[in-house]
Amino acid sequence: MILVFEYAGMTAKYDRFGITFAYPENWQIEEDAEAMPRAVSAHAPVGGFWSVNIHPFSMSPHDLLDQVLQTMCDEYDGVEYYEIRETILDFEASGYSLDFCCLDFVVSARIVAFQHGHATYLLMYQAESRDFDQLQPVFRAMTFSLLSEAPAVNR
């Protein structure tokens, strides 16, 4: 696992509000200290981003995914999507892969949700389609670092 972080250039660490993850030092962090559920996003210099929202365990991952998908379809015309299933460390996550147009750019995005410990996690990462494949290992490494440090109790 350490090799994944080193490969992705994960040299900075976010550790606030009960959320801990590694990220590239040239990325910008955005957080809302007042937000519930807890939410943090990391933005790449090329315009992509990775975000995590941590909800109470009572929140259904399926319901979260449906809400986000509906919001994306309402916000952008012609959203194309399909269901995905991922294993992230030992966690089974379900979600959607999306492609849509925004300001003359084709954007690729993934939203995944799962439960761990006493929390429900919603992850979203996206970038312009030409940058997405290059950023995906970084997105994955950030997710791995989040889950490898996530306690099995409510944050």
Side-chain angles (χ1 to χ4, degrees):
M1 185 111 43
I2 293 170
L3 294 175
V4 173
F5 300 149
E6 289 176 359
Y7 170 77
M10 311 299 266
T11 57
K13 186 171 186 176
Y14 179 88
D15 188 3
R16 294 185 61 175
F17 308 114
I19 300 172
T20 303
F21 60 88
Y23 65 97
E25 67 181 22
N26 65 337
W27 287 38
Q28 297 296 313
I29 296 293
E30 290 184 14
E31 59 188 14
D32 183 352
E34 305 298 318
M36 289 306 276
R38 293 287 185 225
V40 178
S41 59
H43 297 261
V46 294
F49 74 87
W50 174 94
S51 69
V52 58
N53 294 310
I54 301 177
H55 297 262
F57 187 82
S58 60
M59 179 59 83
S60 160
H62 179 75
D63 290 346
L64 280 173
L65 290 169
D66 286 348
Q67 289 172 15
V68 173
L69 180 61
Q70 185 61 52
T71 299
M72 296 296 287
C73 289
D74 290 347
E75 183 75 21
Y76 303 101
D77 291 329
V79 174
E80 296 179 10
Y81 64 91
Y82 60 90
E83 286 188 52
I84 58 172
R85 299 228 182 266
E86 293 185 9
T87 300
I88 306 168
L89 295 178
D90 294 330
F91 307 96
E92 292 298 321
S94 58
Y96 295 101
S97 176
L98 302 94
D99 290 297
F100 56 94
C101 291
C102 179
L103 302 174
D104 296 330
F105 296 104
V106 176
V107 177
S108 294
R110 302 292 183 277
I111 52 173
V112 295
F114 56 91
Q115 292 180 312
H116 169 58
H118 296 287
T120 300
Y121 290 76
L122 176 71
L123 302 173
M124 181 171 186
Y125 46 96
Q126 75 179 44
E128 188 178 338
S129 61
R130 65 183 176 153
D131 297 325
F132 189 86
D133 289 340
Q134 182 180 4
L135 288 173
Q136 192 162 7
V138 179
F139 296 147
R140 193 169 298 277
M142 292 171 69
T143 301
F144 286 166
S145 72
L146 171 77
L147 294 177
S148 66
E149 306 227 12
V153 296
N154 196 4
R155 294 175 175 255

